[in-house]
Amino acid sequence: MKIKVLVAKPGLDGHDRGAKVVAMALRDAGMEVIYTGLRQSPESIVKAALQEDVDVVGLSILSGAHMKICSKVLQLMKDSGIGNKPIFVGGIIPAEDAEELRRAGIFEVFGPGTSLKSIAEKIEETVKK
Amino acid sequence: MSNREKLEKLKDDWKRERVTPLLKRFPERKKEFKTSFDGPVEILYTPKEDEDYEEKIGFPGQYPFTRGVQPTMYRGRLWTMRQYAGFGTAEESNQRYRYLLSQGQTGLSVAFDLPTQIGYDSDDPMSEGEVGRVGVAIDSLEDMETLFEGIPLERVSTSMTINSTAAILLAMYIAVGEKQGVDPSKLTGTIQNDILKEYIARGTYIFPPDSSMRLITDIFEYCSKNLPDFNTISISGYHIREAGANSVQEIAFTLADGIAYVQAAIDAGLDPNVFGKRLSFFFNSHNGFLEEIAKFRAARRLWARIMKERFGVTDEKAMMLRFHTQTGGSTLTAQQPMNNIVRVAFQALAAVLGGTQSLHTNSFDEALGLPTEDSVTIALRTQQIIASETGVADTVDSLGGAYFIEELTDRTEELAMDYIHKIDDLGGMVEAVRTGFVQKEILDSAYKYQVSVENKEQIIVGVNEFVSEDKELKDILRLDPAIENRQKKKIEKLRSSRDNGKVQSLLDDLREGARGSDNLMPFILKAVKAYATLGEIANALRDVFGEYTEAVIL
């Protein structure tokens, strides 16, 4: 079974190069990838995750709104009964914030310079567990 | 034997006698040397004997402006050092601007937060978490008055990175000027106002393309009558490059956007000899030092030819491509961040050697967060060192005539022109964006680049080679999360103190105007002066124009 990933751009941030390039790389690594496009609300992201029955959710945020957005998505995932699905976050996330996000339940935070291969490997490893 | 044939023969001899034997013992570092657009880079370039100097290169300040737009360039006046800044509330940004001006910066460049750029007030649910993050939050004229407090608008030129809400922010700027006693005709500066690249690469669109294009031509028309010294658009390749385009795509798509704006303005009855002088451009400067210099020169020549040959412009001033440059944000690394100071210096030098009119140098900590006052100061000092110590500003286009630079300039222009023809065939830029052609081309380049980094075909120092344990950068600018609430309280107070009946009736007038074909600037200016908020004005336009939804391309 192919691993199914939702790659989402929450909030008003328009920087979608990272999200799209990661989506392409995951697809090339054999995963099924759904990309939401820009300006998604936490509600619409969780709805898509539920409807598409994905294994993993990836959020890309470069605008600095990551703390609010992530806590909302985490809460909504729990409320919808898919709180067990791992969430990955990519973007410009200061180290302190990344730690706090991990504590709050975000599975992993990928900063600038992360290799595409290591993202794919991490996802595979997580889903297989 | 002609000179050219003689040279060719000498070059062949040199290769056969000197290069080939050496290569047998010491092969080159790479199998192929290439530009970012996959063009070959040869071992050596020699003069082209048959070149028409006057037609292709010419003199600075003369068509086709390959060597620069002014005859004396930086010998007369240096480029404008213009650092893009803005965060949090208007009070905080005002303090940063005053600091930058006191440190010798010569122009302002305002960064707005995403809600301001996308037409939402700070208390709109869509704004949650984004208020004051990537720029300053502006909800009404009140904030704009604070932003420019103590800064005399008749003496400072201001560049505003604002697109789908450009008409509203420009109206606020005009109103602040009037309050300071400055006549609109005395205002100088630039609004970005380039919506096509928002659909392509930057993402802060609101309305569908046709309504957006109307707002742009309304601004052109209004400013040609009332703000003759204001640059009404900054046609931007910067974000296209950041989204992953190579250097050729950067100028090809930017100039194709330019063609679409010029055509729209001509169709609206405006004279390109007049508004053509108020067009400005905005490019990126990445690490490919020589390639970037050639790109700036090629863009200048290509635009001059487009204005003259395609649009029949006769005034040389309307053929000049004047541009702002920012160093490449996506080239900054989070690893070993101090290395970024060096990257920025090379990129800035390329922009200066390419003849830029103004320059923003990035701060070394921007892959980690917003820049601190210290890091911004180093970025500004980098420009000052180039200007005062290196001597590169003492002669015009010092690399003009360098064999490789001229060859790359030709090649870049040629390949960019191929793209422009292709876009014409697709029905023009608006169509090429609607169908996702441009976005796909950029994404393919972005992916290819990332794969080359992954394979180590492209080395990034500190990232995939020369890696060392990172010392954590401690000094990161943190924004106060209370900003959002402060901003919400300000709006609440404003709404209870202004004449709400007047605001509503002016918003109704605006809706009515939007349904018709009158110039919308006077309607917006009236609403702004009555302290209608940015979100209210944008929503009134949403009621009539609707909203754009992106074509998701992957």
Side-chain angles (χ1 to χ4, degrees):
Chain A
M1 265 271 279
K2 270 189 175 183
I3 297 174
K4 209 167 170 186
V5 185
L6 180 74
V7 174
K9 280 296 299 178
L12 302 181
D13 180 26
H15 296 91
D16 56 3
R17 174 181 180 169
K20 285 173 164 178
V21 166
V22 168
M24 283 176 87
L26 297 181
R27 192 188 280 170
D28 281 358
M31 300 180 200
E32 188 180 341
V33 181
I34 299 144
Y35 172 59
T36 62
L38 298 180
R39 290 197 211 167
Q40 302 298 311
S41 65
E43 288 79 8
S44 68
I45 291 167
V46 174
K47 198 170 145 203
L50 206 58
Q51 274 174 354
E52 298 284 349
D53 190 25
V54 295
D55 301 302
V56 175
V57 174
L59 305 174
S60 163
I61 313 165
L62 291 88
S63 70
H66 45 270
M67 297 312 278
K68 271 206 173 156
I69 286 168
C70 290
S71 72
K72 250 191 154 168
V73 172
L74 277 164
Q75 189 57 50
L76 288 168
M77 296 269 285
K78 263 184 216 141
D79 297 348
S80 316
I82 50 170
N84 59 332
K85 309 264 181 194
I87 304 176
F88 292 83
V89 176
I92 308 280
I93 317 280
E96 273 173 51
D97 290 1
E99 230 161 88
E100 207 178 316
L101 289 175
R102 285 189 203 100
R103 271 201 303 273
I106 294 292
F107 208 84
E108 189 54 273
V109 178
F110 298 117
T114 310
S115 83
L116 297 173
K117 200 169 143 230
S118 68
I119 297 174
E121 282 172 358
K122 191 89 192 173
I123 290 176
E124 266 165 30
E125 198 184 298
T126 312
V127 174
K128 276 179 190 145
K129 255 187 217 166
Chain B
M1 209 190 292
S2 74
N3 275 341
R4 179 166 185 89
E5 284 162 341
K6 211 159 111 191
L7 185 62
E8 287 295 321
K9 189 183 168 303
L10 284 171
K11 196 173 169 185
D12 285 344
D13 292 347
W14 170 76
K15 272 193 182 162
R16 196 177 53 249
E17 289 164 22
R18 306 279 168 161
V19 181
T20 314
L22 195 65
L23 287 180
K24 282 183 187 140
R25 284 187 296 147
F26 305 109
E28 289 179 324
R29 282 185 291 113
K30 293 182 188 176
K31 245 181 162 162
E32 295 175 288
F33 292 83
K34 289 189 296 190
T35 60
S36 81
F37 52 87
D38 253 349
V41 176
E42 305 293 344
I43 184 170
L44 192 80
Y45 290 82
T46 45
K48 288 184 181 171
E49 293 288 332
D50 52 351
E51 193 151 86
D52 184 341
Y53 178 85
E54 194 192 349
E55 189 208 329
K56 273 184 79 179
I57 303 172
F59 291 88
Q62 265 176 22
Y63 185 84
F65 304 103
T66 313
R67 308 203 66 177
V69 290
Q70 297 117 3
T72 59
M73 286 302 288
Y74 309 133
R75 284 167 69 101
R77 199 174 69 87
L78 291 167
W79 61 93
T80 303
M81 299 179 190
R82 198 192 289 280
Q83 298 295 91
Y84 183 48
F87 57 93
T89 59
E91 287 82 1
E92 286 166 288
S93 294
N94 176 263
Q95 273 174 23
R96 179 66 71 92
Y97 298 156
R98 290 191 194 200
Y99 171 77
L100 285 166
L101 291 169
S102 75
Q103 293 301 302
Q105 173 165 299
T106 46
L108 290 178
S109 174
V110 182
F112 297 102
D113 72 356
L114 285 167
T116 306
Q117 293 189 51
I118 307 179
Y120 296 114
D121 286 335
S122 296
D123 58 356
D124 193 294
M126 289 295 287
S127 305
E128 215 185 331
E130 312 270 15
V131 175
R133 288 282 166 189
V134 302
V136 58
I138 300 292
D139 289 315
S140 74
L141 178 57
E142 207 173 63
D143 292 327
M144 203 71 161
E145 289 162 6
T146 309
L147 190 66
F148 292 104
E149 204 179 297
I151 299 171
L153 298 195
E154 81 273 24
R155 272 187 277 143
V156 169
S157 82
T158 304
S159 167
M160 292 186 268
T161 298
I162 198 72
N163 295 278
S164 51
T165 53
I168 307 171
L169 274 302
L170 178 63
M172 289 183 186
Y173 194 74
I174 294 169
V176 172
E178 283 177 6
K179 290 207 165 185
Q180 286 189 4
V182 183
D183 190 79
S185 67
K186 296 277 187 303
L187 296 174
T188 58
T190 308
I191 41 172
Q192 198 161 74
N193 199 23
D194 169 11
I195 199 65
L196 288 172
K197 66 94 175 56
E198 297 296 329
Y199 303 121
I200 297 170
R202 194 168 171 275
T204 71
Y205 46 75
I206 304 176
F207 315 113
D210 294 341
S211 304
S212 297
M213 293 297 274
R214 171 192 170 183
L215 277 169
I216 290 170
T217 49
D218 279 1
I219 292 173
F220 282 6
E221 190 194 18
Y222 184 85
C223 289
S224 68
K225 289 179 190 143
N226 300 288
L227 286 82
D229 293 333
F230 211 86
N231 296 317
T232 46
I233 194 165
S234 168
I235 307 165
S236 306
Y238 184 82
H239 319 89
I240 290 173
R241 188 65 177 279
E242 289 299 287
N246 60 41
S247 61
V248 164
Q249 291 170 329
E250 179 189 349
I251 68 162
F253 298 152
T254 308
L255 300 196
D257 283 346
I259 290 170
Y261 297 127
V262 171
Q263 192 59 57
I266 291 173
D267 293 347
L270 304 178
D271 178 1
N273 280 302
V274 178
F275 74 79
K277 292 178 199 162
R278 297 319 328 159
L279 304 175
S280 64
F281 289 80
F282 173 21
F283 292 116
N284 209 316
S285 190
H286 270 211
N287 287 330
F289 187 71
L290 301 169
E291 187 179 326
E292 294 303 300
I293 297 166
K295 175 190 77 182
F296 298 125
R297 301 173 86 249
R300 234 176 350 249
R301 182 162 74 205
L302 187 49
W303 185 247
R305 287 181 170 162
I306 289 168
M307 287 302 271
K308 187 175 182 174
E309 289 162 19
R310 181 171 182 140
F311 293 113
V313 162
T314 50
D315 188 334
E316 280 212 343
K317 283 211 166 80
M319 302 174 199
M320 285 179 189
L321 178 141
R322 296 167 301 123
F323 67 100
H324 172 70
T325 307
Q326 180 170 339
T327 58
S330 60
T331 69
L332 301 176
T333 64
Q335 295 75 15
Q336 304 176 30
M338 299 306 256
N339 294 346
N340 293 325
I341 297 175
V342 181
R343 292 190 178 98
V344 168
F346 284 127
Q347 294 166 4
L349 185 60
V352 170
L353 292 171
T356 196
Q357 275 58 63
S358 61
L359 179 61
H360 167 104
T361 32
N362 290 330
S363 301
F364 68 86
D365 49 1
E366 289 187 68
L368 299 155
L370 288 177
T372 62
E373 201 162 276
D374 284 344
S375 68
V376 170
T377 307
I378 295 174
L380 178 60
R381 297 287 180 254
T382 304
Q383 295 197 40
Q384 290 162 338
I385 290 168
I386 292 172
S388 331
E389 301 181 22
T390 64
V392 296
D394 295 351
T395 184
V396 179
D397 188 34
S398 56
L399 291 184
Y403 311 132
F404 182 50
I405 290 286
E406 294 300 349
E407 172 65 32
L408 255 183
T409 304
D410 291 354
R411 189 87 190 113
T412 305
E413 182 187 11
E414 213 175 278
L415 291 172
M417 201 58 217
D418 289 349
Y419 259 124
I420 291 172
H421 287 315
K422 168 107 208 203
I423 289 163
D424 283 336
D425 290 344
L426 291 171
M429 201 53 170
V430 175
E431 236 359 77
V433 171
R434 222 193 298 264
T435 57
F437 166 76
V438 178
Q439 296 91 312
K440 183 78 180 119
E441 289 291 302
I442 295 171
L443 181 58
D444 285 346
S445 291
Y447 191 54
K448 217 161 131 188
Y449 172 80
Q450 207 54 48
V451 169
S452 76
V453 172
E454 205 92 344
N455 303 336
K456 291 197 181 184
E457 268 167 55
Q458 175 67 56
I459 299 295
I460 311 289
V461 173
V463 174
N464 62 0
E465 195 74 283
F466 315 111
V467 179
S468 56
E469 200 59 44
D470 264 327
K471 281 185 250 124
E472 209 179 295
L473 202 63
K474 283 273 178 285
D475 190 19
I476 287 181
L477 185 83
R478 307 292 304 190
L479 288 176
D480 180 0
I483 286 169
E484 196 158 319
N485 273 330
R486 281 212 295 276
Q487 205 59 27
K488 282 181 184 171
K489 288 222 173 77
K490 269 201 265 176
I491 302 188
E492 207 180 308
K493 209 174 135 205
L494 177 80
R495 289 206 175 105
S496 65
S497 61
R498 65 182 186 183
D499 181 346
N500 282 309
K502 188 175 169 195
V503 168
Q504 285 319 318
S505 101
L506 288 171
L507 291 174
D508 285 340
D509 292 349
L510 174 61
R511 278 189 204 94
E512 202 46 47
R515 279 185 210 105
S517 61
D518 286 350
N519 193 311
L520 292 178
M521 272 307 289
F523 293 95
I524 294 172
L525 193 57
K526 271 187 198 155
V528 157
K529 284 180 178 171
Y531 292 91
T533 64
L534 170 117
E536 289 165 344
I537 297 170
N539 281 337
L541 293 173
R542 278 188 182 96
D543 291 343
V544 180
F545 294 153
E547 286 189 81
Y548 176 78
T549 40
E550 108 185 276
V552 176
I553 307 294
L554 202 61

